[in-house]
Amino acid sequence: MDKNTFTGLFLIMIVLAGSFYFFKPSEAELKQERERIALDSAKKAGTVTTPAAAAAQTAVPSLDSATLKGPFGANISGTEATSVLENNELRLTFSNKGGKIKSVELKNEKSYQGKPVVLFDGDKNEFGLTLVIGGKQVNTNDLYFTPVLTERSMAMRANYSPDKFIEFVYDLQPESHNVGFNINLNGMNQVIQRDSIALNWSTVLLQQEKSLKNEQQYSAPYYKYVDKNPDHLSIAKDETEDLSKSKIEWIAFKQHFFSAVLIPADPFAKAKLGVTVLTTPEQVKGYHANLSLPFNQLAAQNYKMKFYFGTNQFKVLKAQGQEIEKLVEMGYWPLKYINRFVVLPVFNFLEGFGWNYGLIILVLTIALKLVLSPLTYKSYISMAKMRILKPEMDEIKAKVGEDNATLLQQEYLKLYKQVGVNPLGGCLPMLLQLPIVMAFFFFFPNLFELRGQSFLWMHDLSTYDDFIKFGFTIPFIGDHLSLMCVLMTISTLIYTYFNNQVSGATGQMKYIGYIMPIVFLGVLNSYPSGLNYYYFLANMLTFGQQFLIKMLVNDEKIHNILKENKKKPEEQKKKSKFQTRLDDYMRQQQQAKTQQNKNK
C-alpha cells in the first residue's frame, strides 16, 4: 500500500467516525422508537411486552378503531389487573383481561385439606364471546376491558369506537350464591357479521375432596333441554356432544359437591359441550362449552343470564328452579323416587333436631327397619317353615332319588301344596327391601350434608375412613383399609351365618352367602364411611329383629300348623296365588306325562 492510498483510507475513517458521532439519534428519539416497536408487537400478538406499550394503550382508550388499524385496537394491549366483589357467601375475583370472573371462592366452605374452596382460578378459566368483524374473528378473552366497580356490581367495557362497545355487567346480591350477568352489545349490530355469536366457557375443576379418583367419579358437565329431564356427559372418559335437539335451559359444570351453573333468561339455541378427564394432580376434570346466541343486525343486542356458584345441596339447588336439583344423583328408577320422596324428607326432618349426623343415620335406619319389620317377619316365618319341612324333603329325595329331577321337583311342589307353604315366601320380602338397600347406595355418596361431618373415629362421613394406611396399593382393596367397611363386612358374615341357621341352607347356597360380603369389602372400601355405617347398622338391626322374632315364634307351633294344613281336605284350603299357579303347573306336568305315555 503506497502513501497516497493509506492517507485516503485514513481520511475516510475520520469522516465515518464523525458522522456516527454528530448524527446519532438522541436518547429521547431512541426511547420513542423502542416504544413504537413494542406497541406494534403488542397489537399483533395481543400481549404487552413493555411498560411503555401499556402506557400507550391506556393513553388512547376512546380513539376510533380505524385510527389504531383494526377493531378494538385500543383494547388489544394492556396490563392485567384484578378487582374483587364479594358478599357473605362468595368472593369473586375479576380480571380486566377478558372482562371475566377469574376465580370464585365459596367463603363458608373448606376443602378436605382445610383450604378455601375455589371452584376455578387462573388462566385455565376462559369466558368470553367470539365475534366476526370485518371477516376476522375477535375473541373478547384477548381484550383488555375497562372496569367500573360499585358496591354490588362490576361493569367491564371494551370500546370499538366512542359510540360502539361491548359491556359485561355482573351483579352480586347480598346473602346470595347467584351472580347476575348481562351482555350489552351497544351499537355493535352495525359491525358484527353473521346471525349468531358464540359464548365460550372453559375451565379446569380443582380438587376439593379427599380422593381425587372418587371426586372424578361424581363430576360431569350437565345440561337441560327445554321440557326434558337434565342429562350429563360421560363421567369416566373424554366426550364431546353437540346439543342441537332442542333449546337449552342451562349448562352446569358440576363436581362432586359443588357446581357452577349458567342460566340464560332465554334458552341457548344450541351448544357443544365437552369433558376431559385430567391426570394432573389436584385437577379433577376439564370442561368446555360453546354456546350459540342469536344475533340481530337490525337492533342493539342484550343478553340476560345468571350464574349459580355454590354447593350441591338438594334444597339449595331446588330453590333455583328449573330442575337444577337433579344435579344431585338419586339413582335410577325406582331408586330416585325412594330417595327423593321417602328417604330425603325423613332425613331432613331428623336434621331439624340438630343432632350429630351419625345419630341421624342411626335413627333413620331404625325408622326404616320398623317400617319394613312386617316384611322381615314374613321372611323369617317363611324360612322357618322351609327349615321345618327339610326332614320331609330329605325323605322324598331319598325315596325318589336325585337322578329324576323333574319327578323330585313335582314331589316337592306337592308337599308345598299340602302344607300351604310358598317356597318363595322368604325371598320375596327380601326382594321388596332390596330397592331400599340400593337407594342408599346412591343417597349417601351424593349427600352434601355429610361433607366434613365427623362421628366416632370417622372424620368425614362423606368419604372413606382410612383407619389403616398401607403406603402401597393392593389390588381390589386399594391403599387403605376402612374400619367401618371391615365392621360392615363382619356384621354381614354374622348375619349370613344366622340367616343360614334360620333357612336351613345347605350346599353351594350356604357358601355363596359368605363370598358376597368379602366381594363387597373390596367394592365399598373406598365408599363413604356414612354408607358403610348405614349398612352396618342395618345388619345389626336386622339381626336384632330376627332374634326377637325367634324368641316370640315357636317352631313346634309352626310345625303343628303345617301338620294341620296337611290334614285339611283340599276344598277347605284357601289357595294363594302361588298355590293356584302351582296347581296349574302340576296339571300341565301331569298332562305332559300322560301324553308321553300315550306316545309310547
Side-chain angles (χ1 to χ4, degrees):
M1 182 183 295
D2 60 8
K3 183 178 180 181
N4 292 332
T5 304
F6 177 82
T7 303
L9 289 174
F10 181 77
L11 291 174
I12 291 172
M13 291 176 64
I14 292 176
V15 172
L16 290 173
S19 299
F20 280 114
Y21 179 80
F22 290 105
F23 296 104
K24 69 178 182 179
S26 65
E27 285 297 319
E29 291 173 329
L30 288 172
K31 183 178 179 181
Q32 184 177 2
E33 182 63 13
R34 284 196 295 266
E35 290 177 357
R36 186 189 66 78
I37 294 172
L39 181 58
D40 289 342
S41 299
K43 290 177 183 178
K44 292 178 181 178
T47 58
V48 177
T49 56
T50 64
Q57 187 270 340
T58 55
V60 287
S62 60
L63 292 180
D64 187 86
S65 59
T67 305
L68 296 175
K69 302 178 182 178
F72 301 105
N75 300 97
I76 289 176
S77 62
T79 302
E80 183 175 12
T82 59
S83 305
V84 174
L85 190 63
E86 60 186 314
N87 61 12
N88 291 337
E89 303 292 340
L90 301 175
R91 177 183 174 88
L92 309 176
T93 301
F94 296 87
S95 172
N96 65 328
K97 186 178 181 182
K100 64 190 178 186
I101 300 176
K102 185 173 183 178
S103 71
V104 176
E105 177 187 336
L106 304 185
K107 297 174 70 173
N108 298 319
E109 304 295 338
K110 295 291 183 182
S111 70
Y112 185 84
Q113 292 76 19
K115 300 177 182 178
V117 170
V118 178
L119 299 187
F120 49 80
D121 190 14
D123 296 333
K124 293 185 178 179
N125 175 53
E126 296 290 341
F127 186 86
L129 301 174
T130 300
L131 312 171
V132 178
I133 299 176
K136 297 180 180 180
Q137 284 193 345
V138 175
N139 193 331
T140 60
N141 274 296
D142 298 328
L143 302 179
Y144 287 83
F145 286 64
T146 301
V148 178
L149 178 66
T150 65
E151 183 180 358
R152 294 191 311 193
S153 67
M154 166 67 76
M156 292 282 188
R157 180 179 292 190
N159 291 307
Y160 179 90
S161 67
D163 60 342
K164 298 178 180 65
F165 58 83
I166 295 175
E167 185 178 53
F168 297 157
V169 181
Y170 304 88
D171 180 66
L172 179 62
Q173 297 297 318
E175 311 292 339
S176 177
H177 287 276
N178 292 333
V179 180
F181 174 59
N182 292 341
I183 301 174
N184 301 322
L185 303 179
N186 189 74
M188 297 300 296
N189 56 297
Q190 302 173 24
V191 293
I192 295 178
Q193 300 167 334
R194 300 186 183 177
D195 58 358
S196 67
I197 59 177
L199 175 60
N200 301 301
W201 184 20
S202 63
T203 192
V204 171
L205 302 183
L206 306 177
Q207 181 181 354
Q208 311 294 345
E209 311 308 324
K210 181 177 185 178
S211 170
L212 178 62
K213 181 180 178 181
N214 288 354
E215 192 169 3
Q216 288 176 330
Q217 183 179 347
Y218 296 100
S219 301
Y222 278 65
Y223 61 92
K224 184 184 182 303
Y225 285 126
V226 174
D227 299 327
K228 300 287 185 180
N229 287 322
D231 203 351
H232 62 84
L233 269 59
S234 173
I235 61 172
K237 62 181 181 180
D238 297 355
E239 184 181 11
T240 299
E241 185 173 346
D242 287 319
L243 308 180
S244 56
K245 295 178 181 178
S246 179
K247 292 187 176 182
I248 302 148
E249 286 190 27
W250 49 261
I251 294 288
F253 286 178
K254 180 210 172 185
Q255 59 190 107
H256 193 175
F257 288 121
F258 305 98
S259 287
V261 187
L262 180 59
I263 311 165
D266 297 316
F268 297 118
K270 59 182 179 178
K272 178 179 285 187
L273 193 60
V275 56
T276 304
V277 181
L278 303 176
T279 57
T280 307
E282 299 184 355
Q283 292 185 358
V284 181
K285 289 182 179 178
Y287 293 162
H288 61 271
N290 182 279
L291 311 167
S292 179
L293 304 175
F295 184 77
N296 185 353
Q297 295 178 339
L298 300 179
Q301 298 289 286
N302 299 296
Y303 304 94
K304 293 185 178 181
M305 309 177 196
K306 71 174 181 179
F307 286 102
Y308 167 80
F309 299 120
T311 65
N312 293 333
Q313 190 173 6
F314 188 89
K315 59 186 177 183
V316 175
L317 293 175
K318 186 174 176 58
Q320 297 293 320
Q322 297 179 265
E323 299 184 280
I324 295 178
E325 71 275 7
K326 291 186 178 179
L327 287 174
V328 182
E329 286 291 341
M330 291 288 186
Y332 306 105
W333 184 94
L335 306 182
K336 61 182 177 182
Y337 298 108
I338 294 173
N339 279 328
R340 181 166 181 177
F341 299 111
V342 179
V343 180
L344 186 61
V346 175
F347 183 90
N348 289 337
F349 172 76
L350 296 174
E351 191 181 20
F353 292 99
W355 297 337
N356 178 278
Y357 281 93
L359 181 59
I360 290 176
I361 294 174
L362 171 61
V363 176
L364 175 65
T365 310
I366 293 172
L368 289 173
K369 282 296 176 183
L370 288 175
V371 172
L372 297 173
S373 57
L375 293 176
T376 305
Y377 177 80
K378 284 187 176 183
S379 178
Y380 181 91
I381 295 298
S382 295
M383 289 189 293
K385 288 178 179 180
M386 293 298 296
R387 185 185 72 251
I388 292 169
L389 281 179
K390 191 174 185 307
E392 295 186 48
M393 295 174 67
D394 289 341
E395 290 179 6
I396 294 172
K397 187 176 182 180
K399 181 179 178 181
V400 174
E402 298 183 16
D403 296 335
N404 195 339
T406 302
L407 180 59
L408 180 62
Q409 190 65 27
Q410 287 179 352
E411 292 299 322
Y412 282 165
L413 293 175
K414 188 183 295 183
L415 176 63
Y416 298 151
K417 179 182 177 182
Q418 289 173 347
V419 298
V421 169
N422 183 350
L424 300 178
C427 298
L428 290 176
M430 295 178 66
L431 289 175
L432 292 174
Q433 296 181 59
L434 188 59
I436 300 292
V437 176
M438 292 300 298
F440 280 99
F441 186 80
F442 291 93
F443 182 74
F444 284 115
N446 291 289
L447 190 63
F448 174 83
E449 284 82 350
L450 296 184
R451 187 178 185 272
Q453 299 297 325
S454 62
F455 182 66
L456 300 177
W457 67 88
M458 297 170 284
H459 299 299
D460 189 340
L461 290 170
S462 71
T463 188
Y464 56 83
D465 61 301
D466 46 357
F467 190 78
I468 299 176
K469 299 179 181 179
F470 301 136
F472 53 88
T473 301
I474 299 177
F476 188 66
I477 295 295
D479 60 356
H480 68 278
L481 196 60
S482 167
L483 178 57
M484 185 51 71
C485 187
V486 171
L487 293 176
M488 182 275 297
T489 303
I490 294 173
S491 69
T492 305
L493 291 171
I494 295 172
Y495 168 74
T496 302
Y497 171 78
F498 283 100
N499 201 47
N500 287 341
Q501 300 301 310
V502 173
S503 63
T506 58
Q508 292 182 349
M509 291 301 298
K510 180 178 180 179
Y511 297 104
I512 288 176
Y514 294 112
I515 295 173
M516 292 308 296
I518 304 301
V519 173
F520 280 112
L521 171 64
V523 173
L524 297 176
N525 189 48
S526 294
Y527 271 74
S529 54
L531 176 65
N532 285 312
Y533 174 54
Y534 161 74
Y535 285 148
F536 168 75
L537 291 175
N539 287 338
M540 299 308 295
L541 290 172
T542 302
F543 173 71
Q545 282 180 321
Q546 291 190 350
F547 181 78
L548 289 174
I549 294 171
K550 186 177 181 180
M551 296 286 291
L552 297 173
V553 174
N554 189 315
D555 284 3
E556 187 63 31
K557 185 176 179 180
I558 294 176
H559 197 187
N560 291 333
I561 292 174
L562 296 181
K563 289 179 179 178
E564 290 297 322
N565 288 340
K566 207 170 185 180
K567 295 177 182 178
K568 287 181 182 180
E570 192 70 24
E571 59 272 8
Q572 292 183 9
K573 295 179 181 178
K574 184 180 179 182
K575 293 184 179 181
S576 65
K577 291 182 179 180
F578 170 77
Q579 289 171 332
T580 302
R581 290 194 296 269
L582 181 59
D583 288 342
D584 293 338
Y585 175 77
M586 293 183 67
R587 191 179 302 110
Q588 292 171 6
Q589 290 292 317
Q590 188 62 41
Q591 289 175 355
K593 188 175 181 181
T594 303
Q595 186 64 37
Q596 287 177 357
N597 293 333
K598 287 181 180 181
N599 294 336
K600 289 179 180 179

